[in-house]
Amino acid sequence: DEYRRQAEDTHAPAYLRLRRAIRTSVERGALGPGHALPSERELARHLELSRVTVRKALAGLVEDGVLTQRHGAGTFVAERIVKPLSKLTSFTGDLRARGLNPRSVFMEREVGEVTPEEAMALNLSPGALVVRLYRLRYGSDEPLAVERSAIPHDIVNDPEMIEDSLYEVLEKLGCRPVRALQRLRAVNFNAEQARLLDVPEGSAGLALERRTFIADGRLVEYTRSWYRGDAYDFVAELQGES
Ligand code: GLP
């Protein structure tokens, strides 16, 4: 139905309309996590589209992490949160795209002097001020990540501006993130992280460190995130060396 609605009001190519329609249905919760999609052939027949079109739309959604394909079994709405490693997306954006409701509990939200580590990561001088956030991040009702961010104070003056999404606030301030350097490594959650994330101490997690730039080359964030290993897949498309 969503496909037919989209078909009526846009002139985009069919595969893009289908891609949007499925994404919208997932976002609205009409297709829940784990939901099995009809086969390529059934979709094509039902929507009167070519199989190439359907295949292209599904491939795009797999790439976005909205769907997963299991060989021989078919196509499903992703259960784990699949994060494409090459896209500069936000926690809020990732979860909304999957029909989950992102929410944060702030353990810290304050202005303070940079620590030596933050100064180094953000290229700031000792004594410079940063907005510091320490957040427990939920997808609907499940805690998924713990996150510590430092943002130069001259970019975000008032920490209270950040209620939900940091990236949305940056965007509103004309400081849209355009590039980031990220490091990913495996960790075992310490007692505090485990308690916050409601998992056993020592369970597996992924630690991410991101330094993000805006168009004029300034650094806008230094964030360390700890994602639950049982909830996230990080995926990337790789190209052979030429
Ligand atoms: C991800 C990134 C963080 C970034 C955050 C922004 O979790 N790993 O580096 O700060 O997204 O998310 P939001 O805009 O929801 O605050």
Side-chain angles (χ1 to χ4, degrees), residues 226-242:
W226 293 270
Y227 282 79
R228 266 173 55 180
D230 61 351
Y232 275 89
D233 282 4
F234 288 80
V235 297
E237 182 182 321
L238 308 179
Q239 238 110 53
E241 285 174 286
S242 51

Side-chain angles (χ1 to χ4, degrees), residues 12 52 109 120 132 141 149 173 177 187 224 227:
V52 176
R109 178 170 38 181
M120 186 111 91
R132 200 170 287 121
D141 292 322
S149 304
L173 294 170
V187 289
R224 282 157 299 159
Y227 282 79

Side-chain angles (χ1 to χ4, degrees), residues 35 59 79 93 132 139:
H35 180 100
E79 265 176 281
R132 200 170 287 121

